[in-house]
Amino acid sequence: MTPFELMTLPYSADALEPVISASTINVHHGKHLAAYVKNLNTLLPGSGLEEASLEEIVCKAEGGILNNAGQIMNHNLYFQQFGGKPVQQAPTGPLKAAITAAFGSFDAFKEAFQKAGATLFGSGWVWLSADKEGKLVITQETNAANPIQKGLKPLLTFDVWEHAYYLDYQNRRPEHLAALWQIVDWTVIEQRYLA
Ligand code: MN
């Protein structure tokens, strides 16, 4: 099998400051995500999934293999959606139209998304995804779950595991979620929606 590799960040560790500090990036990407990659590569031999893609593993596996693969997929989508300034701070075109259709306005969407993240009990992820018809939904997923397990296409995600924000925001998860809009690069989200 070809081992999975730690994704390379498309920006420097301090590029997202002050929203996410370099210290958080270094621990979150360099320690937490790196550990999930190492764990998955250790668990795969003998599992029958040695040649499977990450997406296939997330949809088929169970237990530790599923948890580590899910966390790799989730973090790859998470880290790739941010950009150092300046970023395109709002959706345009078909994605903007779909957000307006589903939530009323971009501001109403952001409020609903933040609320879903703030009220997710324990560790997990809040997601914006598209269904087969391109209709948008917000879902709360616990632990390492990903919307592809429900047949949805994941577009945007906020990580609400404490390791994502505790160094910078301690217990102030809602404040962290509100700040993340400053660094979301909507060109990335649009590409995912149109793919
Ligand atoms: Mn995380």
Side-chain angles (χ1 to χ4, degrees), residues 28 32 36 71 75 125 159 161 163-164:
H28 198 183
H32 288 279
Y36 296 129
Q71 284 294 72
H75 285 94
W125 303 75
D159 185 347
W161 284 59
H163 68 221

Side-chain angles (χ1 to χ4, degrees), residues 12 27 39 51 60 67-68 83 120 126 154 159 171 173 181:
S12 61
V27 173
N39 291 343
E51 305 307 322
K60 286 181 189 170
N67 287 336
N68 285 284
L120 197 169
V126 57
D159 185 347
N171 62 320
R173 186 199 287 183
W181 300 117

Side-chain angles (χ1 to χ4, degrees), residues 56-79:
E56 288 168 340
I57 295 171
V58 169
C59 290
K60 286 181 189 170
E62 295 176 347
I65 291 178
L66 172 61
N67 287 336
N68 285 284
Q71 284 294 72
I72 295 169
M73 174 172 285
N74 295 352
H75 285 94
N76 288 355
L77 290 164
Y78 174 80
F79 285 119

Side-chain angles (χ1 to χ4, degrees), residues 146-159:
N146 185 290
I148 66 164
Q149 296 162 325
K150 300 172 174 173
L152 296 168
K153 177 161 68 174
L155 304 177
L156 169 74
T157 189
F158 286 177
D159 185 347

Side-chain angles (χ1 to χ4, degrees), residues 79-167:
F79 285 119
Q80 284 161 356
Q81 74 195 353
F82 297 132
K85 286 169 188 164
V87 291
Q88 180 185 310
Q89 294 211 334
T92 62
L95 180 58
K96 180 184 182 182
I99 284 177
T100 303
F103 307 106
S105 69
F106 182 49
D107 283 343
F109 156 70
K110 289 196 288 186
E111 189 175 327
F113 196 80
Q114 277 176 235
K115 186 179 178 189
T119 58
L120 197 169
F121 188 77
S123 295
W125 303 75
V126 57
W127 295 88
L128 175 70
S129 302
D131 70 11
K132 295 275 187 287
E133 285 76 46
K135 186 172 177 294
L136 301 180
V137 289
I138 294 171
T139 61
Q140 295 172 317
E141 307 291 344
T142 57
N143 299 319
N146 185 290
I148 66 164
Q149 296 162 325
K150 300 172 174 173
L152 296 168
K153 177 161 68 174
L155 304 177
L156 169 74
T157 189
F158 286 177
D159 185 347
V160 302
W161 284 59
E162 285 187 344
H163 68 221
Y165 59 88
Y166 215 82
L167 289 178

